[in-house]
Amino acid sequence: MTRELRGVLGWAVGAWAVAAALFHIWTAYAGAWEPREMRALHLLFLIPPAFILYPFGRHSDTRRPTVVDWLWVVITAVPCLYVIANAEALTERWEGVHPLTTAQVVLGTLLVLAVLEASRRAVGFWFFVTTLLFMAYLVSAPWLPGFLRSPRPYSYPQLVEMFFLYADEGVLGSLTGISSNLLMIFILFAAFMLHSGVGQFFMDISIALAGRFRGGPAKVAVLSSGLYGTISGSSVADCYATGTFTIPLMKRIGYRPEIAGAIEATASCGGPLMPPIMGAGAFIMAELTGVPYQKIIVAAALPAILYYLSIMATVHWEALKHGIGTMKADLPSMASLLRRALLFTPFVTVVYFLEGGYSPSKAALYSMLTAIAVSWVAGEQPMTPRRIVTTMHEAMRSGIIIASVLSASGLIVASMSRTGFALAFSSALINLSGGYLIVALLLVFAVVSILGTGIPTTPSYILAVTVGGAALQKLGVDLLAAHLFVFYYAVLADVTPPVAVTAFAGAQIAGANPMTTGWQASRIAIGGFLAPFLFVYHPPLLFRGEYWEIAVAFVAAVIGISALCAAIAGHMFGPLGWAHRLVLGAVSLATITSSLQIAALTAVVLAAWGVWDYRRTGGGPAPAAVSLPLGAPASPPAGPPPTVME
């Protein structure tokens, strides 16, 4: 719930957002400032507006900020201004050696409280509680039993120093540095891409490519969500942007509301998995692993494609199972699509500059400028100065959420690193697994699913990879594969009940039961749940190895996932009995092996099964066509505002 400000205050907040956008655009071009100064100014721009835009609670005044809200603005601004004014002196002090002054203890306390309150309002209650629990653990760890125990107690000034003045941890740590130096310019890039007409262009491409086939609207939802996700990086934003168009069409062609909402939610959930944006994940992964951003998005490409192909397979089997036909409508013409093909130029620009050795922030900046230019040539609505200002304003609303998430996540990282919790937990995980990799992977999957309940993808990934990533590496998993494995399940938690935010968004649009939609989304995403296990056992799926190895691993994975989806749906080209489903599921799971030869042989067996089933059933009944009107997506229903990244 956000306030829609009007009048002088609305103009003032809008001007502040534009100033914040221009600041991050300038630093992307000219280079970041001294880290502590840059991060403090970043928080000064983005944390105070959280108290203006987000009310204290459901029953608070939604028309204008209260006195308490303005007090929180001051509480946030004063510590940030202190750090900016004293950045050089704070950089020269020795962490853990120089004592804190009374003023620093007070200011640090105020900033930590402000960041916690901003995260509660802008991000959610459960993330706020999770952060508090980790901070409480840091305080109480010296008196806890077993591997939870930490030998060193901290005084209150030491805690404040850790949370406020450390360069790599706390609210001004490296995670806030990622937000200030990289994420803001990519949020702006994504916002300008969407407002320049790329979103509608992707929708039209999806309709043209998938609309003619059986279950057309569902396949349009999958394809458009994948394309849209390449720029939004947010599953909820993706769901609202594409679901308001695809879900009503799916319902008209015969899908039940719960299934329609679940298909869109599952497809939208892949947005943070799809390069080149990947929400905040790719940038944080680059920081934690030391692997360049360019290599991460290349490695993530095939697993993301596998995820969407698995949903497409499930959609197809479901359409055959329920006798859902094609849609009959006036599809976008090829001439119209070719006329707008220049809207792909920003993607070419970002790849060109990344390959040319430019920093990700500069590549995003030049791509953003390209999006503005091509909107005048190929877009439906050129980026006029007024639209540019509006786009900056909306982008910085997303920036508020990201800044709140990452600055509060710095408190979690500080708590875990100072207690040695991550190392102790990874040792316990290895002991529980008995040294068997598959058991360890299943345990990490369970841990990530629990940690991801009710908190955003970014902190869920940070938490889970800190406690599970080290364990997987000790068992021989490649560093990047371990991080991508954890990241996938942090993302998929958004469609896993009991708190499946993306599935609930799909249910809201579809007018369906949220919990039922969540369980249906988990079922539809079953192939996506298998994909991370596959790339752990088959490094070629991360573009590691010879081209023939990559091709064989990918084809085997596609066939294995498609067969598993058929087993779960209970239908391939014809109905499958329980015996057939169990055998088919077991054989498809055999693709999870380190042997490429066994995976290839399994794929051949599954493909032969598919050919036999097709001949046995004649490919299923002929699809009937349903006439559907196609138009612009409807306005999203009342609900949580879409964000550009998570």
Side-chain angles (χ1 to χ4, degrees):
M1 180 175 63
T2 59
R3 292 186 176 107
E4 293 299 329
L5 304 175
R6 303 187 183 281
V8 175
L9 182 58
W11 282 99
V13 172
W16 186 261
V18 171
L22 291 174
F23 167 72
H24 289 97
I25 289 172
W26 170 251
T27 53
Y29 172 73
W33 297 7
E34 187 276 330
R36 192 175 272 105
E37 186 178 17
M38 176 82 180
R39 296 165 190 175
L41 191 52
H42 170 69
L43 293 186
L44 179 63
F45 269 122
L46 295 174
I47 300 299
F51 305 109
I52 305 299
L53 293 172
Y54 294 91
F56 177 83
R58 292 184 179 180
H59 303 294
S60 302
D61 191 341
T62 57
R63 296 171 300 173
R64 61 182 67 86
T66 65
V67 174
V68 175
D69 294 329
W70 286 113
L71 180 60
W72 277 114
V73 170
V74 175
I75 288 173
T76 308
V78 172
C80 291
L81 291 171
Y82 170 82
V83 172
I84 294 168
N86 298 275
E88 184 176 351
L90 293 174
T91 301
E92 292 177 354
R93 70 181 298 277
W94 287 13
E95 296 175 353
V97 177
H98 286 92
L100 266 70
T101 65
T102 303
Q104 289 172 338
V105 172
V106 172
L107 292 172
T109 302
L110 292 177
L111 186 58
V112 169
L113 290 174
V115 165
L116 287 171
E117 174 62 9
S119 69
R120 185 190 69 81
R121 295 190 185 199
V123 183
F125 177 74
W126 288 113
F127 174 60
F128 167 74
V129 170
T130 302
T131 308
L132 285 182
L133 287 175
F134 273 93
M135 295 172 69
Y137 169 64
L138 174 61
V139 174
S140 60
W143 298 277
L144 294 177
F147 74 90
L148 294 174
R149 185 174 182 178
S150 172
R152 181 182 178 185
Y154 292 95
S155 66
Y156 186 75
Q158 288 175 322
L159 291 172
V160 172
E161 180 184 23
M162 189 187 311
F163 292 150
F164 177 48
L165 294 180
Y166 275 22
D168 295 325
E169 301 165 358
V171 296
L172 296 173
S174 57
L175 291 180
T176 302
I178 297 171
S179 176
S180 61
N181 297 351
L182 283 173
L183 286 180
M184 289 306 110
I185 191 62
F186 269 87
I187 287 175
L188 285 161
F189 162 62
F192 274 92
M193 287 283 286
L194 295 176
H195 281 75
S196 63
V198 176
Q200 185 59 46
F201 178 52
F202 282 168
M203 178 66 75
D204 291 344
I205 289 176
S206 304
I207 293 170
L209 293 177
R212 296 180 174 87
F213 297 99
R214 186 190 290 270
K219 292 176 179 176
V220 168
V222 176
L223 190 56
S224 63
S225 293
L227 292 172
Y228 190 92
T230 62
I231 50 179
S232 74
S234 167
S235 58
V236 177
D238 196 346
C239 189
Y240 274 96
T242 61
T244 51
F245 175 76
T246 59
I247 289 176
L249 293 183
M250 281 189 270
K251 290 170 65 178
R252 289 183 187 179
I253 206 171
Y255 286 98
R256 301 199 316 270
E258 291 80 7
I259 299 295
I263 290 172
E264 178 57 52
T266 309
S268 298
C269 197
L273 304 176
M274 182 63 74
I277 304 296
M278 296 178 65
F283 306 103
I284 295 173
M285 203 177 296
E287 175 71 20
L288 296 178
T289 62
V291 177
Y293 166 77
Q294 295 92 317
K295 291 186 177 181
I296 289 174
I297 61 175
V298 169
L302 287 183
I305 294 171
L306 278 178
Y307 176 82
Y308 277 102
L309 287 177
S310 74
I311 305 172
M312 193 72 80
T314 300
V315 164
H316 188 70
W317 303 138
E318 287 285 338
L320 285 170
K321 179 179 180 179
H322 297 289
I324 296 173
T326 62
M327 68 180 192
K328 184 179 179 182
D330 293 328
L331 303 179
S333 66
M334 186 59 65
S336 171
L337 295 177
L338 290 175
R339 180 178 59 80
R340 291 181 288 163
L342 280 175
L343 291 172
F344 271 121
T345 309
F347 284 103
V348 177
T349 303
V350 73
V351 172
Y352 172 80
F353 282 105
L354 286 173
E355 287 297 318
Y358 285 74
S359 68
S361 58
K362 267 197 169 58
L365 173 63
Y366 295 147
S367 299
M368 184 187 78
L369 296 176
T370 304
I372 295 174
V374 298
S375 73
W376 286 90
V377 179
E380 299 292 338
Q381 293 180 304
M383 294 297 294
T384 61
R386 184 184 183 87
R387 285 180 62 80
I388 289 174
V389 168
T390 301
T391 303
M392 288 181 175
H393 187 191
E394 293 185 10
M396 288 302 100
R397 283 192 173 223
S398 298
I400 290 170
I401 298 174
I402 291 296
S404 301
V405 163
L406 291 183
S407 57
S409 296
L411 300 172
I412 297 175
V413 171
S415 300
M416 287 196 293
S417 64
R418 294 294 158 176
T419 56
F421 173 78
L423 184 61
F425 188 89
S426 66
S427 298
L429 197 65
I430 292 174
N431 291 335
L432 282 173
S433 69
Y436 292 99
L437 178 58
I438 187 66
V439 178
L441 291 172
L442 289 170
L443 288 172
V444 172
F445 160 64
V447 169
V448 178
S449 298
I450 295 170
L451 288 175
T453 300
I455 65 175
T457 297
T458 299
S460 173
Y461 159 63
I462 293 169
L463 282 173
V465 81
T466 304
V467 300
L472 295 181
Q473 290 175 60
K474 288 180 182 178
L475 291 172
V477 179
D478 175 76
L479 173 65
L480 183 54
H483 277 254
L484 280 172
F485 182 89
V486 172
F487 180 66
Y488 257 69
Y489 292 119
V491 170
L492 291 175
D494 281 352
V495 291
T496 307
V499 185
V501 291
T502 307
F504 292 174
Q508 182 188 20
I509 300 170
N513 179 276
M515 194 59 67
T516 304
T517 304
W519 289 117
Q520 290 290 348
S522 298
R523 180 181 65 84
I524 292 168
I526 192 67
F529 283 101
L530 179 64
F533 287 87
L534 290 173
F535 65 66
V536 166
Y537 280 95
H538 295 294
L541 291 175
L542 300 178
F543 277 105
R544 306 281 179 85
E546 301 294 332
Y547 285 114
W548 69 268
E549 293 176 317
I550 296 171
V552 170
F554 181 71
V555 171
V558 170
I559 294 173
I561 286 177
S562 299
L564 178 63
C565 293
I568 297 298
H571 199 286
M572 192 175 269
F573 295 104
L576 297 173
W578 278 106
H580 284 170
R581 294 175 70 176
L582 290 173
V583 172
L584 189 62
V587 175
S588 63
L589 290 175
T591 54
I592 305 176
T593 170
S594 57
S595 171
L596 197 59
Q597 290 80 5
I598 294 177
L601 179 61
T602 303
V604 170
V605 172
L606 292 172
W609 181 311
V611 172
W612 168 78
D613 193 59
Y614 182 85
R615 290 181 175 178
R616 178 177 67 89
T617 61
V626 178
S627 297
L628 295 175
L630 291 182
S635 300
T643 57
V644 177
M645 286 188 174
E646 293 182 342

